[in-house]
Amino acid sequence: MQEVDGFLNGTLDYQHLKGDTGPLVYPAGFVYIYSALYFVTSHGRNIRLAQYIFLGLYLAQMSLVFRLYTKAEKLPPYALAFLTLTSYRIHSIYVLRLFNDPIAVLLFYASLNLFLANRWSLGSVVYSLAVSVKMNILLYAPCLLVAYLTNLGPIATVAQLAVCAAVQLVLGAPFLYANPVSYLRGSFDIGRVFEHKWTVNYRFLTRQAFENRYFHIVLLGLHLYLLFKFLPFARKYLESYAKLNSVRRDLDKSKNSKVKASINFNRNTQLFLLPFFVTNLIGVACARSLHYQFYCWYFHSLVYLGFCTKYSKTLVFCLLGVIELCWNTYPSTHLSSVLLHVCHATLLIGVYKYTN
């Protein structure tokens, strides 16, 4: 509320937008959404109303997630119950802390539903809106690029990238006009140094090691290596999705209902979801720091990833339980940080073996 108060008073230079927690470090979409909340909640004083609004956002996201998982037919009902009822930390992030992360994640899941409905341009607009709320949504970008190329071809891919860029330019226009360098540095600062006291995943490092830029370069290298390692699987899955999607469209045109009824095209959704979720997990696992609100970046995909391994259901739910325990340990400890990395690595290895 303090950060958007400056904007509402006419300040458009990002270097002058700040609050008690520090400078404004989110793109323009965040500013507009929280400006709306500023007015709706009586300048941020009506916190109860804000909580009801975020409750609505949470339910909207759950409906989008359930729509994806119901269509994919991968998860049994008890897994969906686990997804809904078990995480104290997630409910805290959404309805108590009122972070912008849930809004960005909600918009991403909306875009994913649109992509699966073959509404690519609208999906690109909503995806870019999600990026405009918080930059972590860019973790999905490598997979989205492959999805564009395999489903639409290179020319249409350029068009979709132009759509994404246009959304950013339109939303950021007032701030870009006032001070483009300040806006780009403030809202898309990939070199920002996080505070060690808030880290969930690197408590076992000293502050000096945690802030060392060579350590950050190593993590970036690991991130790129894992993306390259999973690229063949992502391309194979998304190409298969594109081919089956083309067959479905051809059958729709031919109106051959008998043949179409004999093929379960809903399960084709699995080929689309898994590459996106793995790409995001790689980004989370290689993050320079994870703060408690970042849990919502990947929580709703974890159970799906667990069921995309050859592990026993007991092991899968043990992994999910340990991850939940790590995120609920405050302040984080050496043990909780190490266990979180072990769980991430175990999931990635399990998915890799499942897809190869």
Side-chain angles (χ1 to χ4, degrees):
M1 294 294 97
Q2 291 172 336
E3 291 167 354
V4 301
D5 182 67
F7 163 71
L8 294 170
N9 287 330
T11 302
L12 296 177
D13 190 335
Y14 248 57
Q15 64 182 325
H16 299 306
L17 294 175
K18 58 188 67 176
D20 290 344
T21 58
L24 175 57
V25 294
Y26 307 120
F30 163 86
V31 177
Y32 301 135
I33 290 172
Y34 274 79
S35 293
L37 288 171
Y38 182 91
F39 287 113
V40 171
T41 61
S42 303
H43 301 183
R45 290 189 293 270
N46 192 343
I47 296 175
R48 177 66 63 84
L49 176 58
Q51 288 182 290
Y52 280 123
I53 292 171
F54 272 78
L55 172 61
L57 294 175
Y58 174 72
L59 293 175
Q61 180 180 317
M62 291 306 298
S63 70
L64 291 171
V65 172
F66 272 43
R67 186 174 184 272
L68 292 173
Y69 289 165
T70 302
K71 191 173 183 180
E73 300 181 11
K74 182 71 176 178
L75 300 180
Y78 66 83
L80 297 180
F82 175 90
L83 182 69
T84 309
L85 302 172
T86 54
S87 180
Y88 163 82
R89 177 63 66 187
I90 285 296
H91 295 154
S92 172
I93 291 169
Y94 278 78
V95 187
L96 182 61
R97 308 299 177 180
L98 313 181
F99 288 111
N100 60 324
D101 303 73
I103 300 174
V105 174
L106 167 67
L107 289 170
F108 168 73
Y109 278 108
S111 72
L112 204 55
N113 275 273
L114 288 167
F115 292 140
L116 284 165
N118 291 315
R119 302 180 69 179
W120 289 90
S121 295
L122 183 56
S124 296
V125 169
V126 177
Y127 175 83
S128 194
L129 287 174
V131 174
S132 78
V133 176
K134 192 156 188 178
M135 198 172 54
N136 69 284
I137 303 300
L138 287 174
L139 293 177
Y140 293 100
C143 186
L144 181 57
L145 178 60
V146 177
Y148 282 152
L149 290 169
T150 53
N151 284 267
L152 304 176
I155 296 176
T157 295
V158 173
Q160 294 302 321
L161 294 176
V163 169
C164 293
V167 171
Q168 297 302 319
L169 288 173
V170 170
L171 292 175
F175 308 103
L176 289 168
Y177 180 79
N179 190 335
V181 174
S182 176
Y183 175 67
L184 293 174
R185 281 181 178 174
S187 58
F188 295 101
D189 182 10
I190 61 174
R192 184 160 57 99
V193 177
F194 294 100
E195 292 188 49
H196 184 250
K197 67 178 181 179
W198 297 115
T199 188
V200 176
N201 57 334
Y202 283 115
R203 179 64 59 192
F204 54 87
L205 294 180
T206 64
R207 180 177 176 181
Q208 290 73 22
F210 175 78
E211 296 178 354
N212 189 293
R213 68 185 186 94
Y214 293 108
F215 171 61
H216 302 162
I217 292 172
V218 169
L219 287 176
L220 177 60
L222 178 61
H223 189 175
L224 294 175
Y225 169 77
L226 289 174
L227 287 176
F228 178 78
K229 195 73 175 175
F230 278 87
L231 177 61
F233 132 74
R235 186 172 64 244
K236 178 180 70 175
Y237 268 51
L238 291 169
E239 283 177 348
S240 298
Y241 171 82
K243 291 175 182 177
L244 288 170
N245 210 25
S246 178
V247 170
R248 181 174 62 178
R249 287 197 299 268
D250 290 342
L251 289 174
D252 286 339
K253 291 177 182 177
S254 67
K255 298 181 180 179
N256 193 335
S257 58
K258 185 177 292 186
V259 174
K260 187 178 177 182
S262 66
I263 305 173
N264 185 356
F265 284 103
N266 279 344
R267 300 189 70 181
N268 188 26
T269 304
Q270 297 178 23
L271 298 170
F272 197 84
L273 292 182
L274 186 56
F276 276 92
F277 291 161
V278 171
T279 301
N280 185 54
L281 176 61
I282 290 171
V284 171
C286 297
R288 288 182 290 128
S289 183
L290 295 175
H291 296 177
Y292 286 96
Q293 65 268 33
F294 297 180
Y295 192 21
C296 70
W297 292 5
Y298 73 144
F299 169 78
H300 297 94
S301 65
L302 286 174
V303 66
Y304 189 89
L305 288 165
F307 274 73
C308 290
T309 67
K310 296 179 181 178
Y311 300 146
S312 67
K313 299 301 181 289
T314 301
L315 178 56
V316 167
F317 283 105
C318 282
L319 282 172
L320 297 177
V322 172
I323 291 174
E324 177 71 17
L325 178 64
C326 294
W327 283 98
N328 277 292
T329 301
Y330 178 80
S332 60
T333 64
H334 291 193
L335 178 60
S336 68
S337 294
V338 170
L339 283 176
L340 189 60
H341 284 290
V342 170
C343 291
H344 289 164
T346 304
L347 269 179
L348 284 172
I349 292 170
V351 173
Y352 185 78
K353 291 182 176 180
Y354 174 82
T355 56
N356 288 274

